Amino acid sequence: MPAAVAALLATALAATGCVTVSGASTPVAALDKHEAAEVLHDYEVQNNQAYANRDLPLNARAETGSLGALDQAGLRILAFTDPNGNLGRAPILHERPEFLIPKVVGWPKWFAVRNTPNFNNAKPQFLVFLRAGPDAVWQAAWGPTLQSELPALKRDSSGYLEQVSPTAAGLAASPGELAPVLAEFLKDGKTRAELFGPDPYTAQLRKQRDEPIGDGYVRQAVDSPAAQFPPLAVRTADGGALVLFALQHSIKLTVQPPRRLGDVDPSTLAFLAGKPSRSVTEHRLSEYVAVVPKAGGKVQLVGWVYGLVGAEGE
């Protein structure tokens, strides 16, 4: 009798969504579209309040990962350049959301929202939420802007997506390779250049590293994978993968005496104790969405965001 009651209770709890399934050995979805919509709504409320009040602790509760790093820095800059906040401004909402939910083995669980923010001339965004463990809350972790349409994604009979491992074989590059390979390409414009299809963003970064800056000035750039933010990937309908990954960039500008640095951007000054005279180093973070075809094809970057996250001066 107790065993029968326990089985009946477990069935009832599962039906109401009160049992958390870890999916330790099998791929499961951590939530459905209705629950995902609630996560998005709660995030909008917290995020708008954080920006209205320049509230970094509230933002840290709502966001994590590379998006959290970008927005924590962005709020610090706004507190320095525009301390009055966004009070009285219309809240930012995510319109026409499409929820993309993969089945994942173990933790963390995650899902994405393809949407268009409601401000003027906004481009679609690929907003990704992550839940680190069964006792953790959902937090926004990625938020690159989409520059072109996403490919069709592979779905099962219930509409859920298939997650792809960082080391998956059979692709032009595994998801875990993309950040190191792109970092190497940015250094010299040659390494694995054949892997990436043309895109204006990467071309602009390469131009910044190559163009002259004038006599008496030295520029040093270091591009590296943001390994603290592991890539996420799902299978596309044609057998390729859609991959999120991140890079970090440090660019140092030094002047030789008797020259002195000119005006420094207020955004950079937000991270400095005083105005530098000899050198300034800016630390930036970039997120990417890449379409990775099967082996032999070219990787196409279809979305990105790039922002200042720190600075040092002398």
Side-chain angles (χ1 to χ4, degrees), residues 37-59:
E38 292 180 346
V39 171
L40 177 62
H41 171 72
D42 291 344
Y43 169 71
E44 288 175 335
V45 171
Q46 292 184 75
N47 192 48
N48 281 300
Q49 184 177 345
Y51 269 85
N53 298 301
R54 308 300 190 234
D55 190 335
L56 274 75
L58 177 58
N59 172 261

Side-chain angles (χ1 to χ4, degrees), residues 64 66-67 126-128 140-144 229-232 244-246 287-288:
T64 188
S66 54
L67 179 62
F126 197 68
L127 184 61
V128 176
W142 301 78
F229 309 123
L232 298 174
L244 285 158
F245 67 99
E287 297 178 345
Y288 299 89

Side-chain angles (χ1 to χ4, degrees), residues 245-285:
F245 67 99
L247 294 183
Q248 48 200 12
H249 317 270
S250 294
I251 300 178
K252 182 176 183 179
L253 183 66
T254 305
V255 297
Q256 304 300 316
R259 292 179 175 82
R260 295 174 63 86
L261 285 173
D263 293 336
V264 176
D265 189 278
S267 296
T268 303
L269 288 175
F271 299 95
L272 306 179
K275 183 178 178 181
S277 61
R278 182 174 181 271
S279 73
V280 62
T281 303
E282 294 183 340
H283 303 291
R284 296 181 181 271
L285 184 66

Side-chain angles (χ1 to χ4, degrees), residues 131-180:
R131 187 180 177 198
D135 298 323
V137 298
W138 286 102
Q139 295 174 290
W142 301 78
T145 299
L146 296 175
Q147 307 296 327
S148 56
E149 288 295 321
L150 296 181
L153 302 176
K154 182 180 179 181
R155 301 174 185 267
D156 66 13
S157 58
S158 299
Y160 293 114
L161 309 182
E162 176 187 323
Q163 179 167 264
V164 176
S165 165
T167 58
L171 299 169
S174 69
E177 286 181 297
L178 290 181

Side-chain angles (χ1 to χ4, degrees), residues 1-16 19:
M1 187 69 170
V5 171
L8 183 61
L9 179 60
T11 301
L13 288 172
T16 58
V19 172

